[in-house]
């Protein structure tokens, strides 16, 4: 009896030791959640009650898990006849649930496509409802996210746009993690509508695996470019894929050692003040900005699953 007790004790010690070793191995990673294209990426194809249902699901998971988030709004999507109030109410829910809203321009216009003046007007037009909703909660409009991550096709317009945003009181919200949920979203919606549960679960599996590989890549790139792993900022979108499965995505992040922080906390990382002269037709993340600025264009990014982009193309479902 005595020796069995000893064996048990030894096993217990080993178990405790392996737990401690695993905790020591796991880095303290941090990520802020941002969710674009509110009230919903596909708002033009959704009824107000579908938008409300999606928003409720998404926000309930985030609130229950105490995960902070900032949502970025395209106010143009509010103006559907007979539904304006209900759509505004869906936005208000973000604040009622304890989250924050930022500006993503009125009509999701690209700085690379529009002239600077027209783009600036779109920024201003995108403020009115969001600003007044924030005021109801004694909050100020303070974050801006560039549509398509397009920050300007030349340095002069990039800097002019930045000066304009600063002048209006904005802090630009960069991103460092992006697994293209917007590409999955219309395929997922279509599968859901047709009751194709097999395709839905294939899409979710692919999305989570691809996300995991994107996170691993970004962690490496951050170490190479910044010298450490920055406080990451992930770009997600308001869609049913996230509403139904964001809990699983948060688990993927937790398994990699992430904890969830506010956007303000993430932006306190001095990396976000690093030299950044990136310009180009293609909007991209800030880790790429910094790498390209340093003359070290990143390589080896995970390849987006072809079958998903093929299916998305077949749908002819223009995303905003
Ligand atoms: Zn967007």
């Amino acid at each position: 009896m005595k020796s069995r007790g000893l064996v048990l004790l030894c096993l217990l010690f080993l178990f405790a030791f392996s737990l401690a070793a695993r905790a020591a191995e796991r880095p303290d990673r941090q990520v802020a959640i941002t969710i674009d294209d509110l009230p919903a990426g596909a708002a033009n194809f959704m009824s107000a009650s579908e938008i409300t249902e999606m928003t409720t699901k998404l926000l309930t998971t985030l609130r229950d898990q105490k995960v902070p988030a900032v949502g970025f709004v395209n106010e143009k999507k509010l103006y559907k006849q007979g539904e304006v109030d209900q759509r505004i109410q869906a936005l208000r829910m973000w604040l009622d649930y304890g989250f924050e809203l930022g500006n993503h321009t009125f009509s999701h216009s690209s700085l690379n496509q529009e002239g600077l003046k027209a783009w600036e007007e779109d920024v201003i037009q995108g403020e009115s409802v969001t600003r007044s909703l924030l005021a109801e909660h004694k909050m100020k409009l303070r974050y801006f996210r560039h549509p398509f991550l397009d920050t300007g096709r030349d340095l002069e317009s990039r800097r002019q746009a930045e000066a304009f945003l600063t002048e209006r009181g904005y802090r630009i919200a960069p991103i460092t993690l992006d697994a293209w949920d917007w590409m999955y979203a219309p395929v997922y919606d279509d599968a859901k509508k047709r009751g194709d549960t097999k395709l839905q679960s294939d899409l979710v599996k692919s999305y989570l695996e691809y996300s995991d590989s994107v996170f691993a890549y970004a962690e490496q790139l951050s170490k190479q470019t910044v010298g450490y792993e920055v406080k990451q900022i992930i770009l997600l979108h308001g869609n049913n894929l996230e509403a139904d499965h964001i809990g699983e995505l948060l688990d993927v992040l937790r398994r990699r050692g992430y904890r969830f922080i506010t956007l303000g906390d993430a932006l306190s990382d001095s990396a976000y003040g690093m030299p950044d002269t990136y310009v180009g037709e293609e909007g991209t993340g800030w880790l790429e900005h910094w790498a390209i600025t340093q003359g070290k264009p990143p390589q080896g990014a995970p390849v987006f699953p072809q079958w998903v982009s093929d299916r998305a193309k077949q749908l002819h479902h223009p995303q905003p």
Side-chain angles (χ1 to χ4, degrees):
M1 273 319 271
K2 218 172 185 186
S3 71
R4 198 198 276 174
L6 204 64
V7 168
L8 265 177
L9 201 66
C10 284
L11 281 175
L12 210 67
F13 268 119
L14 270 175
F15 178 66
F17 181 76
S18 77
L19 273 187
R22 203 185 301 166
E25 248 165 51
R26 211 167 62 167
D28 176 32
R29 294 181 166 139
Q30 299 167 51
V31 61
I33 308 279
T34 63
I35 303 181
D36 284 14
D37 299 359
L38 302 188
N44 300 339
F45 308 100
M46 293 167 84
S47 69
S49 24
E50 286 170 332
I51 292 173
T52 304
E53 192 190 329
M54 182 213 83
T55 307
T56 308
K57 260 194 216 171
L58 182 64
L59 297 184
T60 301
T61 306
L62 291 170
R63 185 180 61 183
D64 288 353
Q65 302 196 18
K66 301 189 168 42
V67 174
V70 180
F72 288 90
V73 182
N74 303 125
E75 291 190 7
K76 187 179 184 183
K77 293 174 185 158
L78 300 172
Y79 299 100
K80 188 168 179 189
Q81 203 171 10
E83 291 193 347
V84 180
D85 288 347
Q86 211 185 333
R87 283 169 184 248
I88 291 177
Q89 184 51 34
L91 271 190
R92 187 181 280 113
M93 280 175 60
W94 281 75
L95 303 169
D96 291 344
Y97 275 63
F99 299 99
E100 180 159 359
L101 293 173
N103 187 355
H104 194 39
T105 75
F106 182 75
S107 63
H108 206 271
S109 68
S110 157
L111 176 57
N112 295 4
Q113 305 301 320
E114 296 284 326
L116 182 62
K117 193 81 203 119
W119 182 83
E120 289 178 355
E121 273 159 22
D122 209 49
V123 173
I124 295 169
Q125 201 182 348
E127 292 173 348
S128 42
V129 175
T130 308
R131 202 190 282 288
S132 74
L133 291 176
L134 284 162
E136 291 173 3
H137 287 259
K138 310 220 175 331
M139 294 164 78
K140 286 216 159 84
L141 182 56
R142 55 178 179 157
Y143 292 123
F144 179 81
R145 163 72 44 75
H146 290 84
F148 309 100
L149 306 177
D150 285 351
T151 50
R153 63 208 313 188
D154 59 78
L155 204 52
E156 197 192 344
S157 45
R158 181 170 177 188
R159 294 293 180 247
Q160 280 176 349
E162 285 167 352
F164 163 81
L165 292 169
T166 306
E167 174 86 0
R168 288 194 77 77
Y170 288 110
R171 180 89 200 254
I172 292 166
I175 72 108
T176 58
L177 303 176
D178 179 8
W180 285 21
D181 65 341
W182 57 271
M183 184 73 101
Y184 283 91
V187 189
Y188 180 83
D189 275 345
D190 181 61
K192 200 173 173 172
K193 233 168 250 169
R194 293 186 292 101
D196 187 340
T197 50
K198 168 80 170 66
L199 178 56
Q200 272 174 266
S201 71
D202 287 349
L203 287 163
V204 172
K205 187 167 176 283
S206 168
Y207 174 55
L208 297 175
E209 282 171 4
Y210 180 64
S211 295
D212 202 31
S213 67
V214 165
F215 303 155
Y217 168 75
E219 289 151 11
Q220 261 322 103
L221 183 57
S222 181
K223 273 188 263 180
Q224 282 163 24
T225 311
V226 187
Y228 62 91
E229 289 185 32
V230 297
K231 295 184 178 193
Q232 310 273 6
I233 303 170
I234 188 168
L235 169 59
L236 306 175
H237 294 80
N239 57 48
N240 286 312
L241 173 68
E242 297 298 355
D244 296 348
H245 299 283
I246 196 167
E248 291 143 80
L249 183 74
L250 298 175
D251 285 339
V252 170
L253 286 161
R254 283 192 194 97
R255 278 198 292 275
R256 302 194 69 83
Y258 282 94
R259 59 191 169 89
F260 303 100
I261 58 173
T262 63
L263 179 57
D265 188 352
L267 289 171
S268 73
D269 192 319
S270 57
Y272 293 101
M274 291 204 333
D276 178 356
T277 55
Y278 174 79
V279 286
E281 292 298 324
E282 287 292 309
T284 187
W286 266 246
L287 290 167
E288 288 82 3
H289 283 197
W290 299 323
I292 291 165
T293 301
Q294 292 170 11
K296 299 182 287 192
Q299 279 168 348
V303 178
F304 188 85
Q306 181 75 40
W307 71 271
V308 180
S309 41
D310 286 347
R311 280 192 178 257
K313 261 176 235 149
Q314 284 162 15
L315 289 172
H316 302 291
H317 215 137
Q319 281 283 308

